[in-house]
Amino acid sequence: MNREESDGKTRVTVLVALAANLVIAAAKAVGGLITGSPALLSEAAHSVADSMNEVFLLASLKRSHRPADERHPFGYGKERYFWALLAAVGIFVMGGCFSFFQGFEALNSKEQESASGYEIGLIVLGVALLAEGSSLVRALLQVRGSEGEVRDPALRTVIAEDATAVLGVLFAMAGMVLHLITGDIVWEACASFAIGLLLVSTAYRLGAEARGQLIGEAVDPELRERLRSLLDAQPEIDNVDELLTMKLGLDSTLVAARIDLVPGLDSETVELVCVRIKKSVSRNWPEADHVFLDITEAPSGD
């Protein structure tokens, strides 16, 4: 599957998640305002944050395909990681912080809130559980057996959001049920705190992944060793002094190698050898679309 087809499927997955979250956020907000449930209001904020994040991810899918230009000669592949980082910040601020706020508000309430109307809230959460679960299943089916899909930060973010949403709904339902049984709102406060911790941890993990790519992350050690082995196997290369790699996007990698060539090669031969080595690297790893060779020692025949 090429990148265009893969991104098309990812775009549909993100749109499905966005549509589900918009409907669910409205339902949770209405249910939360009617019942006054802190846990349900926390889940409403969670769904609003997820909806905004899906917009960020759609922007990343479009902007990352812009062709390279003079100001960005390596292209715009890292746009995906920038928007994924914004999505992580959105989860932290809009979802996690609001959930903690709702938990503290419930604990500081001077009078025990009534649990009347919670049946409606539980029905809303039940519908939300089905919708979030369906979105999660679609995303998981897309990544099954496809390594390239798993590397996509947009799809990983959708999976993390949907999985977190399913757990968040279960926490909210547990808090509401325990509130109904005991009449003590502290259970809903605990549910809000649990949802907040869940969102903050998810945001941190997604943010850390995006940060690593934005500041320049090398390829996997196994791939790096295979690259070095290919260079070492070239008869014209005497020694590989240094091998540097950096991911520029999902299907774009920079490879820079500082090499010593065997003595006795003239300048024309050196040029032909470099072209052949670059083609060999790109043929074995198509994502290595930027290959640079630095000859550290001038051949004696030059």
Side-chain angles (χ1 to χ4, degrees), residues 95-152:
C97 293
F98 185 80
S99 296
F100 284 125
F101 171 77
Q102 284 296 316
F104 284 117
E105 281 286 295
L107 289 179
N108 293 331
S109 178
K110 294 183 179 179
E111 56 183 30
Q112 293 289 76
E113 294 190 24
S114 170
S116 61
Y118 268 33
E119 292 82 0
I120 297 176
L122 288 171
I123 292 174
V124 169
L125 288 176
V127 174
L129 184 62
L130 290 175
E132 300 284 11
S134 299
S135 179
L136 176 61
V137 168
R138 174 183 171 80
L140 291 175
L141 287 175
Q142 184 178 342
V143 303
R144 188 175 64 177
S146 177
E147 180 183 354
E149 299 283 359
V150 176
R151 294 186 292 114
D152 190 339

Side-chain angles (χ1 to χ4, degrees), residues 36-43 95-115 118 168 170-180 182-198:
S37 165
L40 192 51
L41 288 173
S42 295
E43 271 300 294
C97 293
F98 185 80
S99 296
F100 284 125
F101 171 77
Q102 284 296 316
F104 284 117
E105 281 286 295
L107 289 179
N108 293 331
S109 178
K110 294 183 179 179
E111 56 183 30
Q112 293 289 76
E113 294 190 24
S114 170
Y118 268 33
L170 293 176
F171 288 154
M173 293 178 76
M176 293 178 71
V177 169
L178 290 171
H179 184 187
L180 280 171
T182 64
D184 194 344
I185 199 174
V186 70
W187 291 107
E188 286 207 67
C190 291
S192 293
F193 288 137
I195 293 170
L197 286 172
L198 183 64

Side-chain angles (χ1 to χ4, degrees), residues 31 48 66 92 137 166 193 205 224 250 253 280 287 295:
V48 170
R66 288 184 296 170
F92 178 86
V137 168
V166 169
F193 288 137
R205 182 169 57 81
R224 185 177 181 277
L250 291 182
T253 301
S280 179
E287 65 271 22
I295 311 301

Side-chain angles (χ1 to χ4, degrees), residues 38-280:
L40 192 51
L41 288 173
S42 295
E43 271 300 294
H46 180 181
S47 294
V48 170
D50 284 352
S51 299
M52 290 193 65
N53 292 340
E54 260 94 55
V55 175
F56 291 155
L57 298 179
L58 289 173
S60 78
L61 291 174
K62 181 179 180 179
R63 295 177 65 85
S64 64
H65 281 291
R66 288 184 296 170
D69 52 38
E70 187 175 347
R71 295 193 62 185
H72 299 87
F74 294 110
Y76 290 81
K78 286 183 179 287
E79 284 268 13
R80 287 183 184 252
Y81 308 114
F82 169 74
W83 292 98
L85 180 62
L86 288 187
V89 173
I91 294 173
F92 178 86
V93 175
M94 296 190 62
C97 293
F98 185 80
S99 296
F100 284 125
F101 171 77
Q102 284 296 316
F104 284 117
E105 281 286 295
L107 289 179
N108 293 331
S109 178
K110 294 183 179 179
E111 56 183 30
Q112 293 289 76
E113 294 190 24
S114 170
S116 61
Y118 268 33
E119 292 82 0
I120 297 176
L122 288 171
I123 292 174
V124 169
L125 288 176
V127 174
L129 184 62
L130 290 175
E132 300 284 11
S134 299
S135 179
L136 176 61
V137 168
R138 174 183 171 80
L140 291 175
L141 287 175
Q142 184 178 342
V143 303
R144 188 175 64 177
S146 177
E147 180 183 354
E149 299 283 359
V150 176
R151 294 186 292 114
D152 190 339
L155 193 55
R156 283 207 312 269
T157 301
V158 171
I159 292 174
E161 286 179 351
D162 287 344
T164 302
V166 169
L167 288 174
V169 168
L170 293 176
F171 288 154
M173 293 178 76
M176 293 178 71
V177 169
L178 290 171
H179 184 187
L180 280 171
I181 294 173
T182 64
D184 194 344
I185 199 174
V186 70
W187 291 107
E188 286 207 67
C190 291
S192 293
F193 288 137
I195 293 170
L197 286 172
L198 183 64
L199 292 173
V200 168
S201 62
T202 300
Y204 176 80
R205 182 169 57 81
L206 291 174
E209 291 176 356
R211 171 184 174 275
Q213 299 292 350
L214 285 173
I215 63 178
E217 188 173 87
V219 300
D220 297 334
E222 181 182 353
L223 175 56
R224 185 177 181 277
E225 286 305 311
R226 298 211 310 264
L227 283 167
R228 178 177 284 275
S229 296
L230 184 146
L231 294 175
D232 286 333
Q234 304 304 313
E236 297 86 0
I237 295 180
D238 186 45
N239 180 51
V240 179
D241 288 341
E242 190 172 15
L243 177 60
L244 303 175
T245 63
M246 184 172 67
K247 298 176 184 176
L248 302 175
L250 291 182
D251 298 309
S252 181
T253 301
L254 183 149
V255 178
R258 185 173 292 115
I259 59 176
D260 294 334
L261 297 180
V262 297
L265 301 178
D266 58 36
S267 58
E268 183 177 353
T269 302
V270 170
E271 182 178 352
L272 293 174
V273 166
C274 289
V275 171
R276 179 175 57 77
I277 292 174
K278 289 179 181 180
K279 287 183 178 180
S280 179

